[in-house]
Amino acid sequence: MARKNRGASALKNYDESLVSKNITWVDIGIGGLDKFIPGLPKGDAILVRGEPGTGKTISCLQFIHQGIEENEQCVYITTEETPRTIVRTGKELWSDFEELVESGRIKIVNLSINAAFKSEFALITKEEVVEIVMKGLKSVGGRIDRIVVDSLSSLGRRLIDENEFRQVFMRLLLEFKNLGATALLSAEGIPATPDITEYLVDHLIYLDYVKSDVVWTRVFILRKSRSVPLKPQILKLNIEPEGLYVEEIPISLKPVWFQSRL
Ligand SMILES: Nc1ncnc2c1ncn2[C@@H]1O[C@H](COP(=O)(O)OP(=O)(O)OP(=O)(O)O)[C@@H](O)[C@H]1O
Ligand SMILES: [Mg+2]
């Protein structure tokens, strides 16, 4: 079982008057984050970007599992990993994960390479993406609280015409907003020049590394947070068998690099 509140403390590092604002805050499931922000607003779209192995898929799983703990309806759209590997990673974190998927508490929509596609090359049209996603969302039958797309990059690669990614992305974002669901989307890498995905989402998180001498430290950066008074954050990110958790970054890692990222 993931130790969700690892690193958390009763002392909050943000202005607690934020909690009383007219915003429903969503806990995105990363351990210890509640010490630094009250959550992110319900119904918003959050993008998590990072290089391979930085923790995007684990963040997606923790986001969904937090929803389950809050008795919410959750959908996980996978475009890269197959449902089997998603379940395998989920089971490492929570012994009940497979059962949650099998019982339909967590709905996995399969857009990965092993899904049944019309094209024999496992590429997909924009219409087919929308059809499969909408079918998956409808099958939940009722309110949907949390949706994951892991990852947008892989979804773009699977399109027969990659130029149609913008249309697919806009359409999915619109459908998620109409449902009032909070969406966590992942994407590969941190581009030198921000792309359309970064501008269109409400909140942007980078999972990155910072090098100091020979030591590499994982970092979690809340880079943008639209329409709420949340300050950008840079936190130390830890990946352990219990999942991701954040804590205060050592002061020695903050200076120049830190400023260039925020
Ligand atoms: N049970 C675990 N205990 C400790 N570390 C783990 C565990 N499971 C995964 N990891 C580490 O977490 C890292 C992040 O995994 P994750 O699959 O979330 O990365 P990702 O950003 O989604 O990568 P990709 O871009 O390849 O999809 C892995 O590279 C691995 O080092
Ligand atoms: Mg991944």
Side-chain angles (χ1 to χ4, degrees), residues 50-59 80-81 89 92-93 150-151 186-188 207 209 218 239-244:
E51 302 297 331
T54 46
K56 299 179 297 294
T57 296
I58 301 184
S59 344
E80 177 76 46
E81 295 192 34
T89 315
E92 287 283 324
L93 294 165
D150 185 27
S151 71
S186 75
E188 294 164 5
L207 304 181
Y209 292 95
R218 290 181 190 273
I239 307 187
E240 298 214 341
E242 300 86 18
L244 306 182

Side-chain angles (χ1 to χ4, degrees), residues 8-230:
S9 135
L11 257 177
K12 303 293 182 194
N13 261 358
Y14 58 85
D15 177 359
E16 290 195 49
S17 68
L18 276 177
V19 177
S20 58
K21 283 197 187 292
N22 197 17
I23 295 169
T24 306
W25 298 100
V26 169
D27 180 341
I28 64 166
I30 292 183
L33 190 60
D34 62 345
K35 185 180 165 195
F36 302 94
I37 58 170
L40 291 173
K42 184 173 165 49
D44 279 1
I46 306 153
L47 177 64
V48 176
R49 294 205 73 125
E51 302 297 331
T54 46
K56 299 179 297 294
T57 296
I58 301 184
S59 344
C60 290
L61 288 166
Q62 287 184 225
F63 174 76
I64 289 293
H65 202 267
Q66 182 62 32
I68 294 299
E69 287 190 359
E70 296 181 22
N71 216 15
E72 296 179 347
Q73 304 263 44
C74 303
V75 176
Y76 194 109
I77 302 168
T78 178
T79 68
E80 177 76 46
E81 295 192 34
T82 62
R84 195 174 62 83
T85 65
I86 294 293
V87 168
R88 193 176 65 202
T89 315
K91 260 166 70 178
E92 287 283 324
L93 294 165
W94 308 278
S95 53
D96 62 343
F97 192 81
E98 189 165 25
E99 206 179 295
L100 290 168
V101 172
E102 275 171 6
S103 65
R105 287 281 289 113
I106 296 173
K107 167 81 191 167
I108 297 186
V109 174
N110 187 11
L111 276 173
S112 75
I113 199 153
N114 82 342
F117 295 117
K118 289 171 193 156
S119 152
E120 59 186 303
F121 300 104
L123 294 176
I124 191 165
T125 61
K126 63 178 184 210
E127 289 81 9
E128 213 177 341
V129 172
V130 174
E131 188 187 318
I132 294 174
V133 169
M134 294 314 288
K135 200 169 141 207
L137 296 178
K138 282 202 181 92
S139 73
V140 172
R143 185 195 83 237
I144 297 178
D145 302 287
R146 297 188 188 219
I147 300 174
V148 153
V149 180
D150 185 27
S151 71
L152 292 175
S153 316
S154 162
L155 178 59
R157 281 196 293 272
R158 305 292 306 293
L159 290 170
I160 289 171
D161 181 353
E162 281 194 61
N163 294 320
E164 291 180 342
F165 172 74
R166 189 160 61 106
Q167 286 167 286
V168 172
F169 177 57
M170 300 290 277
R171 174 68 190 270
L172 295 183
L173 215 50
L174 179 67
E175 297 290 351
F176 300 163
K177 292 264 176 205
N178 286 344
L179 287 169
T182 311
L184 190 77
L185 319 164
S186 75
E188 294 164 5
I190 300 177
T193 311
D195 64 18
I196 169 192
T197 59
E198 304 196 35
Y199 285 111
L200 285 178
V201 292
D202 303 298
H203 311 277
L204 177 60
I205 292 168
Y206 290 151
L207 304 181
D208 205 355
Y209 292 95
V210 56
K211 190 168 180 268
S212 172
D213 292 329
V214 292
V215 181
W216 289 83
T217 306
R218 290 181 190 273
V219 290
F220 170 103
I221 305 171
L222 179 62
R223 175 68 181 74
K224 123 169 168 181
S225 219
R226 192 185 262 173
S227 76
V228 280
L230 294 180

